[in-house]
Amino acid sequence: MLITITASVSHSFLSFFYSPSPSSPRTLIFSLLPNKLSLRSSFLPFSSFGRRRQYLYSQPAASVSANTMNASSQKLENPDDLIDSVETFIFDCDGVVWKGDKLIDGVPETLDMLRSKGKRLVFVTNNSTKSRKQYGKKFETLGLNVREEEIFASSFAAAAYLKSIDFPKDKKVYVIGEDGILKELELAGFQYLGGPADGEKKIELKPGFLMEHEKDVGAVVVGFDRYFNYYKIQYGTLCIRENPGCLFIATNRDAVTHLTDAQEWAGGGSMVGAIRGSTQKEPIVVGKPSTFMMDYLSQKFGILKSQICMVGDRLDTDILFGQNGGCKTLLVLSGVTTLQMLQNPSNSIQPDFYTNKVSDFLSLKATAV
């Protein structure tokens, strides 16, 4: 099935696919699209529900028009007002709770305070190298009491997305990524190949060489991969380009990540970019800032999105994720984003509030008293 649309698309037409709440106009994700939309889709959707989701979550990471965001951010002065205005706090992990394997000061006390006030806490990370169970162990190692059902990694989101579109169980998933994706696919009952095992494989380029690939691969999932190589690029490219209906799914498009607390490292977006370049296709993004995980969390816990505050350190993932979902947003300056970056005139993504780190919830309360 080949769909080609080239026309001026009105917001009334787009609202057929996505209807934001009237009170949160900034959640109209399609305002990120140009006036003229050219969509060419060569994949076969597995269900009408899947077709809608594929469209929603496969939009490219575009520049955000200023009229979809707040005019400016407010420095957090009275945390009680924010705490009392929401029921749930969603925290990013890298750069907010920890950096590398080092816990950021004041996090345990802050989380304990929020729980004592009856707030639901959820932890969402774009890092796909671990499964939810593995992240649970990391929280425990750092001395944090966090339940597995409170953790949502993009590795889990990839498996959840495939389930949401009724991905056929007789199809396989080729993984460019690490163990976390494999474990979540296995828990969801999907067949897979690739992953770290392909990290040692090499291609011997000689005259007439033709690389074979499995024809029953129906999806290629790309995440952060420390074992990324040319074999994986070519295998994933062949599956997406030659297998009819093969999906290209990205756990995230983060430019950088925090592997250690000493510096920033190239993120999963570098692996996704390589496959995007070779296939000339846009991925379906299941991690932030795509609203897939927000929609999933809202439905799972029965949370009104207006009663959620998203806390993160990245403007183009965490804060945009919260704004696309119609949530309140708090930027912390303990990770990727600096105050200079936030206040740069060229930056159009403005959170509701900003502060130095999550423990300011405690220090600002003490100051107010």
Side-chain angles (χ1 to χ4, degrees), residues 266-282:
S270 58
M271 293 82 192
V272 174
I275 304 302
R276 179 182 178 275
S278 61
T279 62
Q280 294 296 291
K281 291 182 180 292
E282 289 292 336

Side-chain angles (χ1 to χ4, degrees), residues 11 14-15 18-30 324:
H11 287 310
L14 292 172
S15 66
Y18 185 84
S19 299
S21 63
S23 61
S24 302
R26 68 187 179 189
T27 63
L28 185 57
I29 192 170
F30 289 106
N324 285 343

Side-chain angles (χ1 to χ4, degrees), residues 44-285:
L44 298 173
F46 297 112
S47 67
S48 59
F49 179 70
R51 180 168 60 249
R52 178 179 297 185
R53 289 221 163 168
Q54 287 165 352
Y55 183 85
L56 280 172
Y57 303 126
S58 63
Q59 299 310 315
S63 60
V64 184
S65 58
N67 62 3
T68 65
M69 301 302 166
N70 294 337
S72 61
S73 304
Q74 299 179 45
K75 186 172 183 179
L76 186 66
E77 301 286 358
N78 191 341
D80 277 339
D81 288 347
L82 178 58
I83 293 171
D84 294 342
S85 70
V86 297
E87 296 176 356
T88 301
F89 282 89
I90 298 180
F91 290 94
D92 175 47
C93 296
D94 299 329
V96 177
V97 176
W98 59 65
K99 272 190 173 183
D101 290 321
K102 184 178 179 181
L103 191 66
I104 293 176
D105 291 343
V107 167
E109 297 83 357
T110 304
L111 300 184
D112 288 344
M113 179 272 291
L114 292 173
R115 289 190 192 278
S116 71
K117 288 180 171 289
K119 305 302 175 181
R120 177 186 282 109
L121 306 184
V122 179
F123 301 86
V124 175
T125 175
N126 267 356
N127 192 325
S128 62
T129 59
K130 295 180 175 64
S131 65
R132 293 208 290 176
K133 188 177 186 66
Q134 289 171 315
Y135 268 113
K137 292 180 179 178
K138 178 167 184 174
F139 276 101
E140 184 180 353
T141 300
L142 293 172
L144 299 175
N145 183 23
V146 175
R147 300 188 304 275
E148 185 177 325
E149 58 268 26
E150 295 175 319
I151 305 168
F152 292 86
S154 61
S155 53
F156 171 81
Y161 176 79
L162 289 171
K163 290 183 72 173
S164 78
I165 63 169
D166 298 324
F167 183 76
K169 291 296 178 73
D170 61 341
K171 291 283 187 180
K172 295 178 182 178
V173 180
Y174 183 68
V175 177
I176 299 175
E178 299 193 15
D179 194 48
I181 299 173
L182 305 185
K183 289 186 179 300
E184 294 292 358
L185 289 174
E186 184 176 0
L187 287 171
F190 293 116
Q191 303 177 69
Y192 62 83
L193 65 156
D198 282 358
E200 299 296 324
K201 294 182 179 179
K202 298 180 180 179
I203 298 175
E204 185 179 349
L205 295 175
K206 54 187 177 182
F209 176 73
L210 175 70
M211 183 173 176
E212 300 288 348
H213 71 283
E214 294 202 25
K215 306 300 183 183
D216 56 354
V217 171
V220 175
V221 175
V222 184
F224 181 76
D225 190 344
R226 286 168 288 192
Y227 312 98
F228 195 56
N229 59 17
Y230 190 67
Y231 178 93
K232 295 183 180 185
I233 295 175
Q234 178 66 1
Y235 200 100
T237 298
L238 289 172
C239 292
I240 294 169
R241 292 179 61 176
E242 298 187 9
N243 290 3
C246 185
L247 303 175
F248 173 19
I249 299 173
T251 60
N252 68 83
R253 300 175 85 159
D254 292 356
V256 297
T257 188
H258 291 113
L259 297 179
T260 69
D261 62 347
Q263 65 179 173
E264 292 178 348
W265 298 80
S270 58
M271 293 82 192
V272 174
I275 304 302
R276 179 182 178 275
S278 61
T279 62
Q280 294 296 291
K281 291 182 180 292
E282 289 292 336
I284 300 165
V285 183

